[in-house]
Amino acid sequence: MTPFVLGGIGWTWVDSNVPSGLPQTGCWWDPWYGYICTSYQDTYAKDYFSYNLGLGGRWDVTPGFFLRGSVVWQWLDIGEAGTTDFPGGRLDIGFMF
């Protein structure tokens, strides 16, 4: 078993799915499907600074096969609203060649 530490910084895009305007509809002719109309509606979305930290371990089951698991905490700086965190986990199965 090989332990490891994860860390990162970046930006996280958050979409609220709350409409920010009226729906817009567009129509066009498609030679395969005929006349097609679809609607689109803008929503409130914003990106925020984020950073994360995690711990994990990798187990080399055989010389060409491994299992890797980790637990990661991500923090999101939402400006005036403060900072919130999201825990998460991950399990990877992989082959080495």
PDB file of all heavy atoms in Angstrom, residues 58-67 93-97:
ATOM      1  N   ARG A  58      -2.761   3.727  -2.661  1.00  0.00           N
ATOM      2  CA  ARG A  58      -2.765   2.906  -3.869  1.00  0.00           C
ATOM      3  C   ARG A  58      -2.225   1.526  -3.524  1.00  0.00           C
ATOM      4  O   ARG A  58      -1.197   1.397  -2.860  1.00  0.00           O
ATOM      5  CB  ARG A  58      -1.902   3.524  -4.952  1.00  0.00           C
ATOM      6  CG  ARG A  58      -2.042   2.775  -6.282  1.00  0.00           C
ATOM      7  CD  ARG A  58      -1.088   3.273  -7.305  1.00  0.00           C
ATOM      8  NE  ARG A  58       0.224   2.671  -7.022  1.00  0.00           N
ATOM      9  CZ  ARG A  58       1.366   3.143  -7.477  1.00  0.00           C
ATOM     10  NH1 ARG A  58       1.391   4.224  -8.199  1.00  0.00           N
ATOM     11  NH2 ARG A  58       2.497   2.546  -7.179  1.00  0.00           N
ATOM     12  N   TRP A  59      -2.930   0.495  -3.998  1.00  0.00           N
ATOM     13  CA  TRP A  59      -2.519  -0.881  -3.768  1.00  0.00           C
ATOM     14  C   TRP A  59      -2.238  -1.521  -5.113  1.00  0.00           C
ATOM     15  O   TRP A  59      -3.140  -1.631  -5.947  1.00  0.00           O
ATOM     16  CB  TRP A  59      -3.614  -1.630  -3.019  1.00  0.00           C
ATOM     17  CG  TRP A  59      -3.343  -3.084  -2.814  1.00  0.00           C
ATOM     18  CD1 TRP A  59      -2.148  -3.680  -2.553  1.00  0.00           C
ATOM     19  CD2 TRP A  59      -4.310  -4.129  -2.847  1.00  0.00           C
ATOM     20  NE1 TRP A  59      -2.310  -5.022  -2.411  1.00  0.00           N
ATOM     21  CE2 TRP A  59      -3.638  -5.338  -2.589  1.00  0.00           C
ATOM     22  CE3 TRP A  59      -5.680  -4.157  -3.062  1.00  0.00           C
ATOM     23  CZ2 TRP A  59      -4.282  -6.558  -2.546  1.00  0.00           C
ATOM     24  CZ3 TRP A  59      -6.323  -5.376  -3.018  1.00  0.00           C
ATOM     25  CH2 TRP A  59      -5.637  -6.554  -2.756  1.00  0.00           C
ATOM     26  N   ASP A  60      -0.992  -1.937  -5.337  1.00  0.00           N
ATOM     27  CA  ASP A  60      -0.623  -2.646  -6.553  1.00  0.00           C
ATOM     28  C   ASP A  60      -0.977  -4.120  -6.357  1.00  0.00           C
ATOM     29  O   ASP A  60      -0.208  -4.888  -5.777  1.00  0.00           O
ATOM     30  CB  ASP A  60       0.870  -2.474  -6.849  1.00  0.00           C
ATOM     31  CG  ASP A  60       1.227  -1.043  -7.175  1.00  0.00           C
ATOM     32  OD1 ASP A  60       0.356  -0.329  -7.703  1.00  0.00           O
ATOM     33  OD2 ASP A  60       2.369  -0.637  -6.905  1.00  0.00           O
ATOM     34  N   VAL A  61      -2.145  -4.521  -6.840  1.00  0.00           N
ATOM     35  CA  VAL A  61      -2.664  -5.872  -6.641  1.00  0.00           C
ATOM     36  C   VAL A  61      -1.759  -6.886  -7.342  1.00  0.00           C
ATOM     37  O   VAL A  61      -1.366  -7.901  -6.760  1.00  0.00           O
ATOM     38  CB  VAL A  61      -4.116  -5.974  -7.153  1.00  0.00           C
ATOM     39  CG1 VAL A  61      -4.656  -7.370  -6.952  1.00  0.00           C
ATOM     40  CG2 VAL A  61      -5.000  -4.943  -6.467  1.00  0.00           C
ATOM     41  N   THR A  62      -1.450  -6.647  -8.597  1.00  0.00           N
ATOM     42  CA  THR A  62      -0.514  -7.461  -9.376  1.00  0.00           C
ATOM     43  C   THR A  62       0.425  -6.488 -10.085  1.00  0.00           C
ATOM     44  O   THR A  62       0.194  -5.274 -10.051  1.00  0.00           O
ATOM     45  CB  THR A  62      -1.253  -8.344 -10.412  1.00  0.00           C
ATOM     46  OG1 THR A  62      -1.891  -7.500 -11.376  1.00  0.00           O
ATOM     47  CG2 THR A  62      -2.289  -9.235  -9.745  1.00  0.00           C
ATOM     48  N   PRO A  63       1.477  -6.964 -10.764  1.00  0.00           N
ATOM     49  CA  PRO A  63       2.376  -6.027 -11.450  1.00  0.00           C
ATOM     50  C   PRO A  63       1.698  -5.131 -12.491  1.00  0.00           C
ATOM     51  O   PRO A  63       2.209  -4.074 -12.813  1.00  0.00           O
ATOM     52  CB  PRO A  63       3.400  -6.948 -12.107  1.00  0.00           C
ATOM     53  CG  PRO A  63       3.435  -8.148 -11.237  1.00  0.00           C
ATOM     54  CD  PRO A  63       2.022  -8.332 -10.758  1.00  0.00           C
ATOM     55  N   GLY A  64       0.544  -5.504 -13.018  1.00  0.00           N
ATOM     56  CA  GLY A  64      -0.106  -4.682 -14.027  1.00  0.00           C
ATOM     57  C   GLY A  64      -1.472  -4.140 -13.633  1.00  0.00           C
ATOM     58  O   GLY A  64      -2.174  -3.558 -14.460  1.00  0.00           O
ATOM     59  N   PHE A  65      -1.875  -4.291 -12.375  1.00  0.00           N
ATOM     60  CA  PHE A  65      -3.229  -3.912 -11.947  1.00  0.00           C
ATOM     61  C   PHE A  65      -3.161  -3.233 -10.585  1.00  0.00           C
ATOM     62  O   PHE A  65      -2.457  -3.691  -9.691  1.00  0.00           O
ATOM     63  CB  PHE A  65      -4.097  -5.171 -11.877  1.00  0.00           C
ATOM     64  CG  PHE A  65      -5.479  -4.946 -11.360  1.00  0.00           C
ATOM     65  CD1 PHE A  65      -6.422  -4.259 -12.105  1.00  0.00           C
ATOM     66  CD2 PHE A  65      -5.839  -5.435 -10.119  1.00  0.00           C
ATOM     67  CE1 PHE A  65      -7.709  -4.064 -11.630  1.00  0.00           C
ATOM     68  CE2 PHE A  65      -7.126  -5.234  -9.633  1.00  0.00           C
ATOM     69  CZ  PHE A  65      -8.050  -4.550 -10.391  1.00  0.00           C
ATOM     70  N   PHE A  66      -3.906  -2.126 -10.414  1.00  0.00           N
ATOM     71  CA  PHE A  66      -3.895  -1.440  -9.122  1.00  0.00           C
ATOM     72  C   PHE A  66      -5.295  -0.955  -8.733  1.00  0.00           C
ATOM     73  O   PHE A  66      -6.177  -0.790  -9.580  1.00  0.00           O
ATOM     74  CB  PHE A  66      -2.918  -0.257  -9.129  1.00  0.00           C
ATOM     75  CG  PHE A  66      -3.332   0.885 -10.015  1.00  0.00           C
ATOM     76  CD1 PHE A  66      -4.126   1.911  -9.529  1.00  0.00           C
ATOM     77  CD2 PHE A  66      -2.908   0.948 -11.330  1.00  0.00           C
ATOM     78  CE1 PHE A  66      -4.501   2.969 -10.345  1.00  0.00           C
ATOM     79  CE2 PHE A  66      -3.267   1.992 -12.152  1.00  0.00           C
ATOM     80  CZ  PHE A  66      -4.068   3.003 -11.655  1.00  0.00           C
ATOM     81  N   LEU A  67      -5.475  -0.733  -7.461  1.00  0.00           N
ATOM     82  CA  LEU A  67      -6.665  -0.101  -6.895  1.00  0.00           C
ATOM     83  C   LEU A  67      -6.191   1.149  -6.157  1.00  0.00           C
ATOM     84  O   LEU A  67      -5.166   1.126  -5.475  1.00  0.00           O
ATOM     85  CB  LEU A  67      -7.370  -1.034  -5.906  1.00  0.00           C
ATOM     86  CG  LEU A  67      -7.967  -2.304  -6.473  1.00  0.00           C
ATOM     87  CD1 LEU A  67      -8.465  -3.187  -5.331  1.00  0.00           C
ATOM     88  CD2 LEU A  67      -9.091  -1.987  -7.423  1.00  0.00           C
ATOM     89  N   ILE A  93      -9.833   2.007 -10.463  1.00  0.00           N
ATOM     90  CA  ILE A  93      -9.286   0.717 -10.853  1.00  0.00           C
ATOM     91  C   ILE A  93      -8.452   0.969 -12.096  1.00  0.00           C
ATOM     92  O   ILE A  93      -8.932   1.612 -13.042  1.00  0.00           O
ATOM     93  CB  ILE A  93     -10.414  -0.293 -11.158  1.00  0.00           C
ATOM     94  CG1 ILE A  93     -11.269  -0.506  -9.911  1.00  0.00           C
ATOM     95  CG2 ILE A  93      -9.843  -1.601 -11.661  1.00  0.00           C
ATOM     96  CD1 ILE A  93     -12.523  -1.305 -10.161  1.00  0.00           C
ATOM     97  N   GLY A  94      -7.222   0.500 -12.128  1.00  0.00           N
ATOM     98  CA  GLY A  94      -6.373   0.806 -13.268  1.00  0.00           C
ATOM     99  C   GLY A  94      -5.446  -0.317 -13.672  1.00  0.00           C
ATOM    100  O   GLY A  94      -5.192  -1.255 -12.905  1.00  0.00           O
ATOM    101  N   PHE A  95      -4.956  -0.187 -14.887  1.00  0.00           N
ATOM    102  CA  PHE A  95      -3.994  -1.133 -15.451  1.00  0.00           C
ATOM    103  C   PHE A  95      -2.735  -0.372 -15.835  1.00  0.00           C
ATOM    104  O   PHE A  95      -2.804   0.725 -16.375  1.00  0.00           O
ATOM    105  CB  PHE A  95      -4.577  -1.820 -16.684  1.00  0.00           C
ATOM    106  CG  PHE A  95      -5.772  -2.669 -16.387  1.00  0.00           C
ATOM    107  CD1 PHE A  95      -7.051  -2.157 -16.550  1.00  0.00           C
ATOM    108  CD2 PHE A  95      -5.622  -3.967 -15.928  1.00  0.00           C
ATOM    109  CE1 PHE A  95      -8.156  -2.924 -16.276  1.00  0.00           C
ATOM    110  CE2 PHE A  95      -6.727  -4.742 -15.645  1.00  0.00           C
ATOM    111  CZ  PHE A  95      -8.000  -4.214 -15.813  1.00  0.00           C
ATOM    112  N   MET A  96      -1.584  -0.971 -15.544  1.00  0.00           N
ATOM    113  CA  MET A  96      -0.304  -0.369 -15.905  1.00  0.00           C
ATOM    114  C   MET A  96       0.325  -1.218 -17.006  1.00  0.00           C
ATOM    115  O   MET A  96       0.252  -2.450 -16.973  1.00  0.00           O
ATOM    116  CB  MET A  96       0.615  -0.343 -14.691  1.00  0.00           C
ATOM    117  CG  MET A  96       0.106   0.541 -13.590  1.00  0.00           C
ATOM    118  SD  MET A  96       1.169   0.559 -12.139  1.00  0.00           S
ATOM    119  CE  MET A  96       0.780  -1.008 -11.395  1.00  0.00           C
ATOM    120  N   PHE A  97       0.908  -0.555 -17.986  1.00  0.00           N
ATOM    121  CA  PHE A  97       1.555  -1.310 -19.062  1.00  0.00           C
ATOM    122  C   PHE A  97       2.816  -0.605 -19.511  1.00  0.00           C
ATOM    123  O   PHE A  97       3.137   0.454 -19.122  1.00  0.00           O
ATOM    124  CB  PHE A  97       0.626  -1.521 -20.251  1.00  0.00           C
ATOM    125  CG  PHE A  97      -0.059  -0.287 -20.729  1.00  0.00           C
ATOM    126  CD1 PHE A  97       0.516   0.498 -21.703  1.00  0.00           C
ATOM    127  CD2 PHE A  97      -1.277   0.115 -20.193  1.00  0.00           C
ATOM    128  CE1 PHE A  97      -0.122   1.640 -22.161  1.00  0.00           C
ATOM    129  CE2 PHE A  97      -1.924   1.234 -20.630  1.00  0.00           C
ATOM    130  CZ  PHE A  97      -1.348   2.018 -21.617  1.00  0.00           C
TER     131      PHE A  97
END
